[in-house]
Amino acid sequence: MAIRSFFLFILFFSSSLSPVFSLYEDQVGLMDWHQQYIGKVKQAVFSSQRAGRKRVVVSTEENVIASLDLRHGEIFWRHLLGADDVIDGIDIGLGKYVITLSSGGSILRSWNLPDGQMVWESSLQGPKLSKSFLLVPTNLKFDKDNVLVVFSNGRLHAISCIDGEVLWKKDFEAESFEVQQVIQPPGSDLIYVVGFAASYQFEMYQINAKNGELLKHESASFSSGFSGEVSLVSTETVVALDSTGSILLTISFQDGKISSQQTPISNLVEDSLGLAVIIPSSVSGIFAIKTDAVTVFIRVIGEGKLEVVEKTTHEIAVSDALSISEDQQAFALIQHASSEIHLTVKLAHDWDGNLLKESVKMDWQRGLVHKVFINNYIRTDRSYGFRVLIVMEDHSLLLLQQGEIVWSREDGLASIIDVTTSELPVERNGVSVAKVEHNLFEWLKGHMLKLKGTLMLASPEDMAAIQSMRLKSSEKSKMTRDHNGFRKLLIVLTRAGKLFALHTGDGRIVWSHLLRSLHKSEACQSPIGLNLYQWQVPHHHAMDENPSVLVVSRCGPSSDTPGVLSFVDTYTGKELSSLSLDHAVVQVIPLPYTDSTEQRLHLLINADKHAHLYPKTSEALSIFKREFLNIYWYSVEDQNGIIKGHALKCKCTGEVADEFCFDTRDLWSVVFPSESEKIVATVTRKLNEVVHTQAKVVADQDVMYKYISRNLLFVATVAPKGSGEIGSVTPEESWLVAYLIDTVTGRILHRVTHHGSQGPVHAVFSENWVVYHYFNLRAHRYEMSVIEIYDQSRADNKDVWKLVLGKHNLTSPISLFSRPEVITKSQSYFFTHSLKAIAVTSTAKGITSKQLLLGTIGDQVLALDKRFLDPRRTVNPTQAEKEEGIIPLTDSLPIIPQSYVTHALRVEGLRGIITVPAKLESTTLVFAHGVDLFFTQLAPSRTYDSLTEDFSYALLLITIVALVAAIFVTWRLSERKELQEKWR
Amino acid sequence: MEKGKGIMGSGRRWAVHFSDNSTAPSSRDIPDPPGFARASVDQDDSTVSRQKKDAESNWKSQKAWEVAQAPFKNLLMMGFMMWMAGNTVHLFSIGITFSALWQPISALQGVGKVFEPYKDNKVDLLGPKLLFIALNLGGLALGVWKLNTLGLLPTHASDWVSSLPPAQEVEYSGGGIPL
């Protein structure tokens, strides 16, 4: 015991000597990796060919605008707009400005194409919400200045391309007018604004592009009404569907006269089934409609006559038109056929002739093609070549050229929903998954280089070679479990419903799997992946059983749609099975019990508060029955401000006898007064967190007993007035209340009010403490508070002899129904940054001290020692307290630049930080995800249990050899001397 | 001292006594020469040897006492070293403390050996031994006291509970905000 405490002391010393954790420049990339993504591409614009390097500018659903290299798919530059700054349109103006329209059409920005610097920004206001359009006419000039035409918020603007100045504007204030298209026929000075009024009237406004003057306003009413979008088939003709979705309306407004033609779809397609929708496309003369089963391409032949040109049952995607010469337009069409996709490029007026027809092998794990963007180039023989950029169902982006995939980007990883980890396979003799041995010569060369480096003989080139060797050391990217537990698989679920396994060593994708259960189907219209859970983690049969994860998904956005479970093997990425449930999934509760095959028991709660047990085996049921009375669950209804506790009652009564379904009853409820409190944050301890000890040794060898409970819930509420943006309320009418609630009994263990404070609240709960971050309106600063909770009823266990002999009940199981006597200690500090995420390091045994990981507003991860958030800090700590490691109290928390975990990098759009313990107690693995991914290893108390990477093994070996030799030599000498002594 | 050891010690294997010490004349064939008074010689001899032995045992017991008192000096030196080492835990203080603990223990283990040379029927070694043991125990106590002042003795409750795992909870509850 004494030795142990001594070691802890040493540990503390070594950590207190250098509390700053940082790394050297040449250590960057050794343990960490960083990947940049952009998200699912919404719109792509190819830069004109005059520009030096071929590039494509894209806008994505993650609100990123990026310029990508067309050769390799690398990012030239990238900007992440805010979460509420959704991009509506992008285009390239004057060949050198990227124009973006965002925030519902209210912000127009211009960026310099080569380097991505912002040139200007203008804010566009308008009378009412509407669709927004961005047009960049090539030949519309106004005083030598190119003009941008923007329709947004019910107002038409003409904006200078050079400086973003509004040249003229025109309001469309008519109450019911809904704009559908804004058209600028090339070569004319006219702008057409077409739309619907009162859903049955077609309106057309003709506007002079020079000054915004209204030239003509025509309207025509259609008794059948409209549904969905309109498709533009020529500059002066649009096609729309009537409200029944069965009649096509061809409306032309040539010369300001509206004329129309109605064609029932059944006239064109005999076996038309279900509701049709128009696929938006800008190809002149041709449009497509899609019903459930078929896609039909229809050509408009003058005077509103329609003709079917092709009918296909394949999944299809069409690009926008690309004008390749004065009067020729080309477009790309992609059709799926089993494991291939067929790309055809056609001219708009000539359906039957193909400019290009290619087949490309496509991994079915990428799903369907969602979007196609076409671009042309001139081949050496002066003919046109085409390349297409396609966006797949899994949000990946691919460039096809000459029948090959030139490059691909896995941009689905920009929208991660949930992360879990899995161990790698155990190393078996000869069955190493990745064989990464190189030959003897290279091995020798490497060691020679390293020796040169150690002896400081290496030239700069040698140093570079050594560095690159260190970076791609094969050890860290092996596909087997390592002794220290650094190598793991990160299993991530993306918004596209694709599951990826990333290797922690180098971040490469080990496998990816588009979940079949997340495919659209008859029963499941719009499946959404929700969460990942560790389903089976084999320890006893680690050699012959693979771990698996549970993916919980749901068939629609509302919470009462049925759920889908899929089980995926984490070694191979194969979907083991999937279950379509007949009930909804509102909550998933992983239980702390496993069956004999080490499958974890899960309780799924449906919308009617019935609990369903999974796996549905009799063994699981018997385990569950044993613990039946001790299982509770709670629900947080944040809309109503109620937290309810429930217990399981009996088997489900009703329709079908299902022995895995249980009724529940309400036990308790905490109702927050809706006029004064609104729930903004709830947080619990992580289920898999390991706590080493229940005692905390304070100064003078005193003991405090932590109140460690898995069933504690931290709830933060704010005044409803103060739930808006920071600064929207005065300090007097805003407050924040923090609660600690026991979720078994509903007992409120602690309640504290912060007057004059406001959300957003970010909180993290670990062991017996909770740290939360909020805004203090009085001080105009962010604040962080810590609450530590201690068990007072154990405090009198101080008799050493009883403890020595083990005559105490400190480790006997306790029931939460016995009233705990707790005391809390809390303290608050100012903090400079606002936060996006907060997490805490976790280690295998919970011995190592903790660090808070703060995702700052600058998209970086900052490590902050928990010792800074210790409620026992005082301004003048006593000697004993100093020895214990208590830092003198200061009003604000320090930000040490070296303790940025992400060092010089940024994790754009940071959303979450996940910590996973390694097997080595000192080390924790950190994964931060947003649009970018970042992974590193952290040792909050330094690596006290292993030698550092730069430890000189050679020196150690030499020393040992020298010592052994010295021992032998002296032994011989002493023997000889002894002999001589004896002869004397 | 060396000589004394040589005679008294285990080095002697055999000896020829040229003086015949037997007092009974009947055991000899040859009568004593005239003028030779055997008794007086005998008497003389025995008194000399007795005196010698007495001196030896005196000397032995004196030495034994000296040996027994030796740890006292050690004790003082140890105390001084400990005072020098201070009360914080580092390599020096740990080393001193452990040597302060080890010396008395090893000395106590070898009590018999230390006093073996002075073993004699006539010398009472109990006193020196007891003193020796007492002084060494004193040294040990000093070491333990030092250990305690360094805070390395598990005499507090905190030393016994610091690795107690948290108590298991009977109930389990899960849930949260609906998905």
Side-chain angles (χ1 to χ4, degrees), chain A residues 380-521:
Chain A
T380 41
D381 60 350
R382 298 205 154 265
S383 65
Y384 281 113
F386 293 93
R387 53 169 91 92
V388 292
L389 200 61
I390 55 173
V391 181
M392 306 296 293
E393 192 180 359
D394 69 343
H395 297 185
S396 60
L397 184 69
L398 297 95
L399 185 81
L400 306 184
Q401 190 172 330
Q402 292 171 346
E404 267 179 59
I405 299 172
V406 182
W407 49 260
S408 62
R409 293 180 56 88
E410 291 291 347
D411 278 309
L413 287 170
S415 42
I416 289 175
I417 299 174
D418 202 4
V419 184
T420 187
T421 53
S422 159
E423 293 289 347
L424 281 161
V426 182
E427 190 156 15
R428 273 172 269 191
N429 284 341
V431 204
S432 170
V433 178
K435 201 170 178 308
V436 271
E437 281 306 318
H438 34 193
N439 59 38
L440 187 71
F441 177 68
E442 273 186 27
W443 183 83
L444 268 176
K445 210 169 77 180
H447 275 262
M448 278 305 291
L449 269 177
K450 271 186 190 164
L451 192 68
K452 263 167 113 180
T454 327
L455 299 174
M456 313 221 178
L457 294 172
S459 63
E461 294 95 73
D462 290 346
M463 292 304 277
I466 294 170
Q467 181 68 7
S468 71
M469 221 160 55
R470 284 171 77 190
L471 290 185
K472 55 175 189 221
S473 125
S474 56
E475 240 342 84
K476 69 174 187 181
S477 56
K478 261 189 180 172
M479 274 301 295
T480 50
R481 223 173 273 193
D482 64 333
H483 190 65
N484 292 331
F486 293 161
R487 295 201 294 260
K488 281 184 200 298
L489 285 177
L490 291 165
I491 313 290
V492 301
L493 176 66
T494 65
R495 199 167 294 153
K498 198 170 187 182
L499 214 55
F500 288 90
L502 305 177
H503 196 287
T504 56
D506 52 4
R508 71 174 190 277
I509 296 166
V510 177
W511 53 258
S512 61
H513 180 77
L514 192 67
L515 290 174
R516 221 173 295 197
S517 56
L518 286 172
H519 256 312
K520 230 182 247 186
S521 66

Side-chain angles (χ1 to χ4, degrees), chain A residues 622-826:
Chain A
S622 70
I623 296 168
F624 185 70
K625 284 267 175 67
R626 222 179 305 143
E627 301 289 342
F628 188 75
L629 288 173
N630 292 327
I631 295 170
Y632 299 82
W633 65 280
Y634 66 96
S635 55
V636 180
E637 295 166 22
D638 50 350
Q639 297 301 321
N640 311 330
I642 301 174
I643 298 175
K644 277 186 186 159
H646 314 268
L648 300 169
K649 202 163 65 180
C650 56
K651 288 217 179 78
C652 279
T653 50
E655 336 86 63
V656 202
D658 181 0
E659 51 180 347
F660 297 97
C661 167
F662 299 91
D663 268 342
T664 60
R665 66 194 157 97
D666 288 2
L667 272 188
W668 51 266
S669 60
V670 178
V671 182
F672 298 100
S674 61
E675 65 275 7
S676 63
E677 290 182 41
K678 182 176 182 298
I679 299 173
V680 287
T682 60
V683 68
T684 53
R685 270 179 58 196
K686 269 205 286 189
L687 185 65
N688 55 359
E689 189 187 48
V690 181
V691 182
H692 176 242
T693 171
Q694 55 173 302
K696 180 176 171 133
V697 181
V698 297
D700 298 328
Q701 263 106 31
D702 216 350
V703 188
M704 290 172 85
Y705 291 91
K706 301 173 187 171
Y707 183 77
I708 292 167
S709 169
R710 267 205 272 229
N711 305 316
L712 267 185
L713 175 72
F714 169 82
V715 182
T717 64
V718 294
K721 270 188 181 176
S723 58
E725 269 181 37
I726 287 167
S728 57
V729 277
T730 58
E732 285 71 33
E733 51 189 11
S734 181
W735 52 83
L736 186 149
V737 193
Y739 294 86
L740 287 173
I741 297 173
D742 185 328
T743 56
V744 170
T745 59
R747 187 179 284 132
I748 295 174
L749 295 174
H750 183 63
R751 178 181 189 276
V752 61
T753 310
H754 298 272
H755 289 286
S757 294
Q758 201 183 6
V761 177
H762 296 276
V764 63
F765 205 138
S766 172
E767 292 196 3
N768 67 326
W769 51 264
V770 58
V771 168
Y772 52 104
H773 177 273
Y774 53 91
F775 190 76
N776 186 335
L777 285 165
R778 281 185 219 278
H780 302 287
R781 290 169 89 171
Y782 284 99
E783 242 178 42
M784 276 173 96
S785 284
V786 56
I787 301 175
E788 287 189 357
I789 175 162
Y790 292 97
D791 193 343
Q792 200 58 24
S793 55
R794 302 175 161 236
D796 36 321
N797 274 306
K798 290 224 165 100
D799 190 339
V800 177
W801 286 111
K802 268 191 184 168
L803 293 169
V804 173
L805 301 172
K807 293 211 159 121
H808 58 82
N809 56 359
L810 290 173
T811 47
S812 51
I814 48 165
S815 166
L816 289 164
F817 288 102
S818 64
R819 190 184 173 81
E821 266 179 75
V822 296
I823 52 161
T824 53
K825 289 169 179 282
S826 58

Side-chain angles (χ1 to χ4, degrees), chain A residues 64-129:
Chain A
V64 171
I65 47 165
S67 162
L68 304 178
D69 186 349
L70 260 187
R71 279 216 177 113
H72 311 288
E74 282 151 14
I75 299 170
F76 277 131
W77 53 262
R78 179 179 62 154
H79 291 291
L80 180 71
L81 306 186
D84 47 357
D85 201 4
V86 179
I87 302 169
D88 303 306
I90 58 166
D91 212 329
I92 293 180
L94 286 178
K96 56 182 177 182
Y97 299 121
V98 179
I99 313 291
T100 62
L101 183 68
S102 59
S103 279
S106 54
I107 301 173
L108 187 70
R109 294 189 182 96
S110 167
W111 316 82
N112 195 10
L113 178 60
D115 58 2
Q117 300 285 324
M118 188 155 79
V119 183
W120 50 257
E121 177 184 276
S122 47
S123 152
L124 309 174
Q125 304 304 324
K128 60 170 191 179
L129 289 176

Side-chain angles (χ1 to χ4, degrees), chain A residues 23 30-31 37 88 105 212 249 255 362 368 445 577 645 705 723 725 823 834 858 866 880 942 974 983:
Chain A
L23 30 84
L30 277 186
M31 314 276 200
Y37 294 102
D88 303 306
L249 303 165
D255 306 324
M362 187 59 69
L368 307 175
K445 210 169 77 180
S577 62
Y705 291 91
S723 58
E725 269 181 37
I823 52 161
S834 66
K866 169 67 178 60
R942 315 213 119 214
S974 76
W983 277 112

